[in-house]
Amino acid sequence: AFDVAGSGRVLAGSDESGSTQLIELVDGASTRLTALSGAVTGRYLPGERAVVVQHDTDGDERGQLSLLRLDQPRPGPVRLPELCPLVRDPEHVHRLLDVLPDHVVYSTNRRNGVDFDVVIRCVSSGAERVAYDRGGMVLEVAAAPDGRVALTVPGALPMSDELIVVDSEDRTLTNRDVAARCTNIAWLPGGSGLIATTNFERDRTGVARIDPRTGDRTWLVTSDEHDLTGWVSPDGSKLLVQANDDGASRLALHDASSGERLRPVHLPADGWCAFPLPQPAWSPDSRYVALTFSGPTVPGDVLLVDASTGECRALTDSAAQLDDQRPVEPSIHRVPTRDGEQVPCFRYSPENPDPQLAGSAVLIVHGGPESQSVRAFNPIVQALVAQGHEVLVPNVRGSTGYGKRWYSADDGRNRLEAVADLGDLHDWLPTIGLDPSRAALWGGSYGGYMVLAGLAFQPQRWAAGVDIVGISSLVTFLANTAPYRRAHREREYGSLTADADFLHQASPLTKVADIAAPLFVLHGANDPRVPLSEAEQIAEAVRANGLECELLVYPDEGHGLAKRANRLDAYPKVL
């Protein structure tokens, strides 16, 4: 679910065609809106029957913006609305950040290819106003009707955000050198305050009201056990609050003035409805919230919540496509580590294990590293389990969802502490009846780095590895990634200037001669985040050692496989 109108119409994404395209859901009926070659997202333009569409070319992440007029005749046999150019410059990135009546707010790096400016464009006249051009990577933007803009940019420390309000002058409301998140920013009506999710001076995130003049915080909803995330209604009366319970969403509606809990929102199952899925979206009249929901047995559905009652109803039924194939639910574990910590881990076990595969284990490591494996449907997990493998999905050091202390535990020169967690997970296998000599690693993006690091730094432990768009050298990755991403990622990994020695030491390519396991590598040729050269250099080095290494490169993909045809080609081979 990308957006919802006051009538309950939902702008959604469906991958029925093979890539995520826009559809509109009304009273159980679905209308197709786009048929582009790559994945798209979008938002309704308030007050009009129109949609702002963000799309790129073959995963290159250079987003372009177009307009769909839904109230105009649809020509041709397919009768799709015509895509009208709104903001187009194929050489640069444009990211849709907010919408207002007759206006779109977006960020772009077209000024110099590196820094992102915030631009407000009038749809009807085409006039543009640059609202912010102080440099860096803009993360979030909330535009107020009175012209003020609130935005976040990366702070100086890993996983920290600087909150800035732009009106007649720029006011920085948070200290750039404080380790604190500030996300999900939104204006209260009349611009009287901002609502944000933050962990300022806390380990766990909570929901706070922030004075836009002074930056003073008033906590509305907090928890010492769970990270909380809040989304305020446009009329400022209610908050939808999610508690992150070991990768499962627990939702409730709260009073936005007092923070008082009003009523729970009951989801169809244990599952997840926030990042990396699209964020919950309020309708302009604050009556509805549209959710994207996925659970281990629910591939992905759109839910509509009535904010007055908390009633939650599904507008789609993705599980029906599974017929009688029942996906496996995970059990939840805490894996002890060498230093007394505990790694959260999901375990997926075959219901009718194949005796020939008994004891075989695959560890799937998420990307990020500032991300979290959650209780959502993963076809790779289910396919591996269906083959008879046990699948373990850990949240090693550096993972979000378990407080600031845990996601900070791998920063900078502590990078290899997260890799050491893989060794602790391997040591745990015999205690749950699994064979440590038959354990493989699988991961994408930073998870691909973890796979290669496990094979290189723990060569006696792992029997195979699957690296998807992964980093093989932190040095060459930082040198060759898109220029607008480099400074942003150096906060987490260390800088080429100050930390080159450690970056070299922590790179799997440095220890490639020690790799002893066969390797499968997948990559997209247009990847702007992790360049294709990262895959090519590790594959060449592993093959030079006489090991089996298969490299599959897809010319029409970027950072991952977005197109079903490519997934259906790649993943059966990997399995």
Side-chain angles (χ1 to χ4, degrees):
F2 293 127
D3 209 349
V4 56
S7 61
R9 294 174 181 265
V10 175
L11 181 68
S14 167
D15 67 355
E16 185 176 5
S17 68
S19 65
T20 301
Q21 299 298 310
L22 294 181
I23 62 171
E24 191 172 52
L25 298 171
V26 184
D27 296 327
S30 170
T31 303
R32 187 162 57 127
L33 300 181
T34 63
L36 300 176
S37 62
V40 302
T41 64
R43 293 279 304 275
Y44 284 123
L45 191 62
E48 301 183 44
R49 282 290 289 144
V51 172
V52 183
V53 184
Q54 178 179 308
H55 51 96
D56 70 4
T57 301
D58 292 334
D60 64 8
E61 297 189 18
R62 293 196 290 270
Q64 310 297 310
L65 305 182
S66 299
L67 192 67
L68 286 178
R69 294 284 183 188
L70 302 183
D71 52 1
Q72 295 180 353
R74 301 182 176 189
V78 184
R79 301 183 64 80
L80 293 179
E82 184 180 0
L83 205 64
C84 302
L86 189 61
V87 180
R88 296 282 183 90
D89 178 355
E91 297 304 312
H92 295 104
V93 177
H94 311 84
R95 293 180 178 141
L96 178 64
L97 295 173
D98 204 356
V99 288
L100 296 168
D102 195 34
H103 290 79
V104 297
V105 185
Y106 67 95
S107 64
T108 178
N109 67 342
R110 67 188 177 208
R111 176 164 53 88
N112 59 17
V114 178
D115 296 309
F116 280 81
D117 301 339
V118 176
V119 180
I120 301 177
R121 181 183 181 91
C122 177
V123 174
S124 57
S125 71
E128 292 194 339
R129 173 174 70 89
V130 176
Y132 177 84
D133 61 358
R134 277 175 42 187
M137 178 177 283
V138 175
L139 302 175
E140 294 186 19
V141 170
D146 62 9
R148 286 182 295 171
V149 170
L151 58 91
T152 60
V153 297
L157 301 174
M159 285 291 280
S160 65
D161 304 302
E162 191 177 353
L163 176 61
I164 299 169
V165 169
V166 182
D167 44 27
S168 57
E169 59 180 353
D170 295 356
R171 287 194 305 281
T172 301
L173 302 185
T174 56
N175 189 322
R176 176 173 171 75
D177 297 315
V178 171
R181 303 295 335 263
C182 186
T183 64
N184 298 88
I185 56 173
W187 287 97
L188 288 168
S192 60
L194 291 160
I195 298 293
T197 296
T198 180
N199 56 3
F200 181 80
E201 296 181 340
R202 294 179 52 82
D203 182 57
R204 300 284 186 166
T205 56
V207 184
R209 182 171 58 247
I210 298 178
D211 187 309
R213 299 176 305 278
T214 65
D216 291 343
R217 284 165 296 278
T218 302
W219 290 104
L220 297 173
V221 191
T222 60
S223 167
D224 292 331
E225 291 78 38
H226 303 294
D227 280 325
L228 304 182
T229 308
W231 298 270
V232 66
S233 61
D235 66 4
S237 67
K238 295 183 180 68
L239 284 168
L240 178 69
V241 178
Q242 172 191 263
N244 184 338
D245 182 7
D246 233 335
S249 296
R250 311 297 181 204
L251 297 182
L253 289 160
H254 290 248
D255 182 281
S257 298
S258 65
E260 177 187 359
R261 191 174 191 265
L262 300 175
R263 59 190 67 88
V265 175
H266 297 293
L267 295 171
D270 273 353
W272 189 250
C273 61
F275 183 83
L277 300 173
Q279 299 286 317
W282 281 92
S283 62
D285 62 0
S286 303
R287 179 179 176 186
Y288 298 109
V289 184
L291 304 176
T292 310
F293 177 77
S294 179
T297 64
V298 181
D301 282 322
V302 172
L303 311 180
L304 194 63
V305 177
D306 187 323
S308 62
T309 64
E311 178 190 1
C312 180
R313 90 186 144 91
L315 303 185
T316 57
D317 183 11
S318 60
Q321 301 170 76
L322 296 170
D323 299 323
D324 59 350
Q325 301 176 84
R326 178 70 178 169
V328 172
E329 297 263 13
S331 53
I332 300 170
H333 302 266
R334 292 292 187 271
V335 179
T337 69
R338 64 218 169 265
D339 55 359
E341 298 283 4
Q342 292 188 321
V343 175
C345 185
F346 302 126
R347 179 185 181 184
Y348 295 81
S349 301
E351 292 183 353
N352 299 299
D354 182 341
Q356 289 188 325
L357 288 177
S360 169
V362 182
L363 272 69
I364 296 183
V365 190
H366 67 70
E370 315 98 325
S371 189
Q372 180 186 12
S373 291
V374 295
R375 285 185 252 179
F377 181 77
N378 184 328
I380 298 300
V381 168
Q382 299 297 340
L384 287 165
V385 172
Q387 283 195 328
H389 303 288
E390 295 263 352
V391 178
L392 303 177
V393 184
N395 280 301
V396 297
R397 264 165 253 234
S399 302
T400 55
Y402 301 91
K404 184 188 300 182
R405 186 187 69 86
W406 190 246
Y407 73 59
S408 301
D410 71 334
D411 289 349
R413 291 178 178 256
N414 289 325
R415 177 69 38 213
L416 295 180
E417 291 298 314
V419 179
D421 286 343
L422 298 180
D424 295 325
L425 285 154
H426 189 272
D427 290 342
W428 183 64
L429 297 178
T431 71
I432 56 172
L434 301 182
D435 183 351
S437 71
R438 302 173 67 198
L441 292 170
W442 180 306
S445 190
Y446 176 78
Y449 163 81
M450 290 288 284
V451 168
L452 297 175
L455 298 187
F457 300 136
Q458 303 163 357
Q460 303 308 313
R461 293 182 182 270
W462 306 107
V466 179
D467 159 31
I468 303 171
V469 298
I471 300 166
S472 58
S473 167
L474 293 169
V475 176
T476 57
F477 158 66
L478 289 172
N480 297 324
T481 190
Y484 64 85
R485 292 186 54 82
R486 184 173 303 120
H488 181 54
R489 300 318 296 152
E490 283 187 328
R491 293 188 314 160
E492 171 71 25
Y493 297 120
S495 76
L496 288 171
T497 303
D499 303 293
D501 58 335
F502 176 76
L503 293 171
H504 178 75
Q505 174 192 340
S507 294
L509 192 64
T510 303
K511 290 285 189 177
V512 70
D514 292 341
I515 292 179
L519 178 64
F520 205 118
V521 182
L522 298 176
H523 219 98
N526 305 313
D527 191 341
R529 303 189 185 200
V530 179
L532 174 60
S533 54
E534 292 296 305
E536 293 172 331
Q537 66 189 11
I538 195 70
E540 180 182 0
V542 169
R543 288 168 178 166
N545 291 339
L547 287 174
E548 178 185 359
C549 179
E550 185 159 357
L551 170 63
L552 285 184
V553 178
Y554 292 89
D556 56 348
E557 295 282 11
H559 193 60
L561 302 185
K563 298 178 180 179
R564 181 182 298 136
N566 294 334
R567 295 197 298 267
L568 288 177
D569 178 68
Y571 291 139
K573 294 175 182 176
V574 182
L575 292 167

